């Protein structure tokens, strides 16, 4: 299968912005193993700004655009250095692609991106994609969040599946942080207004995505004919079950053509 995996800042980094070594190393190990099994893997990785916060020893995530851009510039170096080093230990080559909203909205640029992505996969590389946060700052140039970016990448790559690794096990009947009786929904066959209403919207302190962005991503991806799964990034080994079609997290079924 061709699988796009999106990993959130809350999985890669502690609240301090420093790298969560255990989670990151386990993620790389599982993704490398999936590639060894014959799957094509594309990684959409958050974390540049969060890791920049840690690298620059800032007390909290900045609110002003200029400092966010500076954190992204520093953090992206740290992020790719870490991925390159870890994947290299399993004999896998990584490639970096940074995108803006213009790159996916503009037809010629989008085709160029698709061609590059396709060739990288043919060459056996593992593309690692992030938004170019050092230049994407407004509603024209910015994609906004990496759940949306991952959905766009999955559609551009004609992926079989998108997996969003987050700090939650999946979609619940209510917010599990505030409702102890909330139950995990293992399968969503149709994204109805009632399903959309289950979203709470807010992400973690370091991240930007919430359930609302994940459900919008699911709507985009399932409409293109691919499945999408939300699973807990603290347990990257769930990717084995997901790739094998076993139940893990919440699976959104691809919309079947009439």
């Amino acid at each position: 299968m061709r699988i796009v995996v999106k990993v959130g800042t809350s999985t890669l980094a502690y609240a301090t912005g420093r790298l969560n070594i255990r989670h990151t190393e386990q993620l790389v190990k599982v993704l490398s193993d999936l590639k060894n099994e014959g799957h094509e893997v594309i990684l959409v990785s958050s974390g540049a700004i969060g890791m920049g916060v840690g690298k620059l020893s800032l007390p909290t995530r900045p609110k002003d655009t200029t400092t966010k851009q500076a954190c992204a510039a520093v953090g992206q170096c740290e992020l790719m250095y870490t991925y390159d080093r870890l994947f290299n230990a399993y004999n896998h080559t990584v490639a970096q692609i940074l995108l803006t909203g213009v790159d996916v909205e503009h037809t010629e640029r989008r085709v160029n991106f698709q061609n590059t992505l396709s060739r990288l996969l043919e060459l056996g590389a593992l593309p690692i994609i992030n938004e170019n946060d050092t230049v994407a700052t407004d509603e024209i140039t910015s994609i906004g969040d990496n759940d949306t970016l991952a959905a766009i990448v999955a559609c551009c790559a004609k992926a079989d599946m998108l997996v969003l690794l987050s700090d939650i096990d999946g979609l619940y009947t209510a917010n599990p942080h505030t409702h102890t009786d909330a139950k995990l929904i293992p399968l969503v066959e149709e994204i109805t207004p009632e399903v959309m209403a289950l979203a709470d919207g807010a992400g973690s302190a370091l991240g930007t995505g919430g359930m609302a962005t994940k459900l919008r991503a699911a709507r985009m991806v399932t409409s293109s004919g691919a499945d999408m799964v939300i699973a807990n990034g603290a347990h990257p080994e769930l990717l084995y079950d997901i790739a094998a079609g076993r139940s893990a997290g919440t699976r959104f079924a691809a919309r079947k053509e009439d």
Side-chain angles (χ1 to χ4, degrees), residues 6 13 34 36 68 71 81 113 129 170:
K6 178 262 178 180
L34 289 175
N36 288 349
K68 283 181 184 176
C71 287
Y81 168 74
F113 162 58
I129 301 171

Side-chain angles (χ1 to χ4, degrees), residues 5-28 31 43-51 75-76 78-80 82-83 86-87 128-130 146 165-167 204 206-207 232-236:
V5 177
K6 178 262 178 180
V7 59
T9 304
S10 57
T11 297
L12 293 173
Y14 291 106
T16 58
R18 294 291 184 181
L19 182 72
N20 186 323
I21 296 171
R22 179 177 56 182
H23 286 178
T24 306
E25 288 187 343
Q26 182 67 5
L27 173 68
V28 168
L31 293 179
L43 179 61
V44 175
S45 179
S46 301
I49 294 177
M51 291 184 73
Q76 193 63 40
E78 181 81 354
L79 195 60
M80 285 307 301
T82 301
Y83 280 134
L86 293 176
F87 276 110
I128 299 177
I129 301 171
N130 196 0
N146 275 2
L165 294 180
S166 185
D167 56 359
S204 66
L206 280 175
N232 198 318
H235 306 288

Side-chain angles (χ1 to χ4, degrees), residues 141-230:
T141 58
S142 176
I143 294 166
D145 65 87
N146 275 2
D147 293 329
T148 302
L149 174 61
I152 291 169
V153 169
C155 293
C156 285
K158 295 180 172 57
D160 300 295
M161 179 178 295
L162 168 62
V163 182
L164 301 182
L165 294 180
S166 185
D167 56 359
I168 194 167
D169 292 330
L171 180 65
Y172 283 81
T173 53
N175 187 337
H177 298 303
T178 55
H179 295 74
T180 55
D181 60 343
K183 291 182 172 55
L184 181 70
I185 302 171
L187 177 65
V188 176
E189 297 191 271
E190 185 181 0
I191 303 171
T192 62
E194 290 76 19
V195 170
M196 292 300 295
L198 295 173
D200 257 352
S204 66
L206 280 175
T208 56
M211 191 54 71
T213 65
K214 290 169 177 55
L215 292 181
R216 287 195 293 270
R219 198 160 50 188
M220 188 188 309
V221 170
T222 56
S223 295
S224 75
D227 283 1
M228 193 189 95
V229 176
I230 300 173

Side-chain angles (χ1 to χ4, degrees), residues 52 56 65-75 133-134:
L56 292 168
T65 300
T66 307
T67 310
K68 283 181 184 176
Q69 289 175 303
C71 287
V74 171
D133 292 314
T134 58

